[in-house]
Amino acid sequence: MSAPRGAWADIAALGVSQIVGYGTLYYSFGTLAPAMAHDVGWPVEWVFGALSAALLAGGLVAPWTGRWLDRFGAGRVMAVGSLAAATALVAAALAPAAPAFVLALVAIEVASTFVQYGAAFPLLVQRHPATAQRSILYLTLIAGFASTLFWPLTTWLHAALSWQAVYLVFAALNLVICLPIHLWLARRPKTMPLTPDAAKPLAPPVPVKGLIPPALRGRAFLLMGLGFACQSLVVSSVLIHMLPILTALGLGLAGVMVSAVFGPAQVAGRFTLMVFGRDLSPLALAVISAALLPASLVLLAATAPSTAGAAVFAALFGLGNGLYSIVGGTLPLALFGADGYGALQGRVTSIRLVVGSIAPFAFALAADGLGTQGGLLIAAFVGCGAIVAFATVGLLTGPRVVLREANDGPP
């Protein structure tokens, strides 16, 4: 199903805000971390450890954020989040000492739960419930350019400015670009009521019903959460350690070129899905995305130090990660429906952030004890858990799960 005409403006506006939100609050950190460590007098590893603690804090806050999205409307929460993100970036830039810097990092990650996918997906569901799955796909296609744009932009800015000045520029971007977009979205006419007592929309929305029977929802959420946890562990481990992994496997400078395949593969995967994957259900897509991640790790471990093998790994891993971002929004909607989706997405975001905060450390321990290839195989084994979890969710839905979706939404 294509997005309705009225949804395209929302998708385009959200796409811009997601590029800025992810670029300023997430992708810039790795480039600026060495300078941050130098200024606060810490080893670089400690700064990344502070980021892990901040991600954990964001994960703990995410369920509350989800409930606020349902209660107050995602557009309003995202507008507040833009203000919070700008304030947190300024606080980090002006932090007089390490403790204040760590608190500012925590504030940045908490603000991220207000403005990134965990809030953007519920906004699309609240405004366009019948076509939200396609709208989420289009949004992730646009937002997939965040790393492509902000990795070089951050490097270029940091060549002329201190990391503090770069963060001040990024704070201004959140105020000048994201805040007006989110305020505009909050004031746009709504296509469905946020609560049963809200005013009725001009036209009744097409209901989005979940696939899971009420009696099985608790079990299905546990399985879905387990699947997302396994995927988050794999994705977070490899993304943080991408270049060190390739270097340890003997790829040297070729590893830098191979890692560049990852970003375009994400976007290419989403574009391919948009063009050719219209008939795939979110559950089928979840199984495919879960399978690509461990397959890519096994391939890398088996072919190292082959540059060609590493390039295929980066392409498969980028494809799997690109689909993983989409599944995080579409699978909960397909399984549980649009009612209370903000709170549901908050719980999903919490699982991803909490597991993602400990994953890099866990992988480092595995690689230290078993070698890099052993660590990759352990991560691949954990990734296979996601395949089993999502496939088991399919069994709970019964015969209603099909690869082809009806034009009026999930069956």
Side-chain angles (χ1 to χ4, degrees):
M1 180 187 300
S2 299
R5 184 176 302 174
W8 287 114
D10 294 352
I11 295 168
L14 273 178
V16 173
S17 80
Q18 293 303 287
I19 288 174
V20 175
Y22 274 99
T24 61
L25 302 176
Y26 182 75
Y27 286 114
S28 65
F29 187 85
T31 302
L32 302 177
M36 293 174 176
H38 178 269
D39 284 357
V40 300
W42 282 0
V44 176
E45 292 78 7
W46 287 22
V47 173
F48 278 102
L51 176 63
S52 293
L55 287 169
L56 178 61
L60 296 176
V61 169
W64 279 273
T65 303
R67 288 194 284 270
W68 295 334
L69 293 167
D70 286 333
R71 181 176 180 181
F72 301 110
R76 294 176 181 175
V77 173
M78 294 185 79
V80 173
S82 294
L83 288 172
T87 302
L89 287 167
V90 171
L94 302 181
F101 172 73
V102 173
L103 289 176
L105 280 186
V106 170
I108 287 173
E109 293 307 323
V110 170
S112 296
T113 68
F114 292 3
V115 297
Q116 292 178 346
Y117 281 158
F121 292 164
L123 187 145
L124 291 175
V125 170
Q126 289 171 3
R127 293 187 47 75
H128 311 284
T131 55
Q133 292 184 17
R134 298 300 299 175
S135 297
I136 287 171
L137 169 58
Y138 298 140
L139 175 62
T140 59
L141 180 64
I142 299 172
F145 290 98
S147 61
T148 305
L149 294 174
F150 269 85
W151 274 335
L153 175 61
T154 303
T155 301
W156 177 72
L157 287 173
H158 192 36
L161 303 171
S162 66
W163 72 266
Q164 293 94 336
V166 173
Y167 260 18
L168 292 177
V169 172
F170 287 168
L173 291 180
N174 278 274
L175 288 177
V176 174
I177 297 177
C178 296
L179 179 58
I181 287 175
H182 296 154
L183 287 173
W184 176 73
L185 288 168
R187 294 171 181 172
R188 293 252 293 166
K190 297 187 173 59
T191 60
M192 67 174 293
L194 295 175
T195 67
D197 297 326
K200 292 184 178 180
L202 295 177
V206 179
V208 178
K209 298 179 180 180
L211 293 167
I212 300 296
L216 298 177
R217 289 192 167 214
R219 190 183 308 173
F221 182 83
L222 288 176
L223 287 168
M224 183 186 71
L226 175 62
F228 284 144
C230 292
Q231 284 187 301
S232 181
L233 190 143
V234 173
V235 168
S236 299
S237 297
V238 175
L239 286 184
I240 292 295
H241 295 287
M242 175 79 82
L243 290 180
I245 286 172
L246 296 175
T247 300
L249 292 175
L251 287 157
L253 293 178
V256 179
M257 295 182 289
V258 168
S259 66
V261 177
F262 170 77
Q266 287 192 105
V267 176
R270 293 166 182 168
F271 181 78
T272 301
L273 178 65
M274 181 181 70
V275 176
F276 301 107
R278 292 176 177 269
D279 295 339
L280 283 177
S281 72
L283 193 53
L285 184 63
V287 174
I288 293 172
S289 68
L292 285 170
L293 296 175
S296 69
L297 299 187
V298 171
L299 176 67
L300 178 63
T303 61
S306 166
T307 301
V312 176
F313 147 75
L316 291 178
F317 192 84
L319 176 60
N321 186 62
L323 299 181
Y324 163 66
S325 299
I326 299 169
V327 169
T330 59
L331 184 60
L333 179 62
L335 295 180
F336 303 102
D339 186 33
Y341 177 79
L344 182 65
Q345 187 61 221
R347 294 163 68 189
V348 170
T349 301
S350 179
I351 292 170
R352 288 180 160 193
L353 289 178
V354 170
V355 175
S357 69
I358 64 174
F361 179 68
F363 181 84
L365 285 180
D368 184 60
L370 301 173
T372 299
Q373 289 173 311
L376 289 172
L377 294 177
I378 292 294
F381 178 78
V382 173
C384 289
I387 304 173
V388 176
F390 292 141
T392 306
V393 171
L395 297 178
L396 297 180
T397 61
R400 289 187 297 169
V401 176
V402 291
L403 288 180
R404 187 175 185 87
E405 296 183 54
N407 288 332
D408 59 352

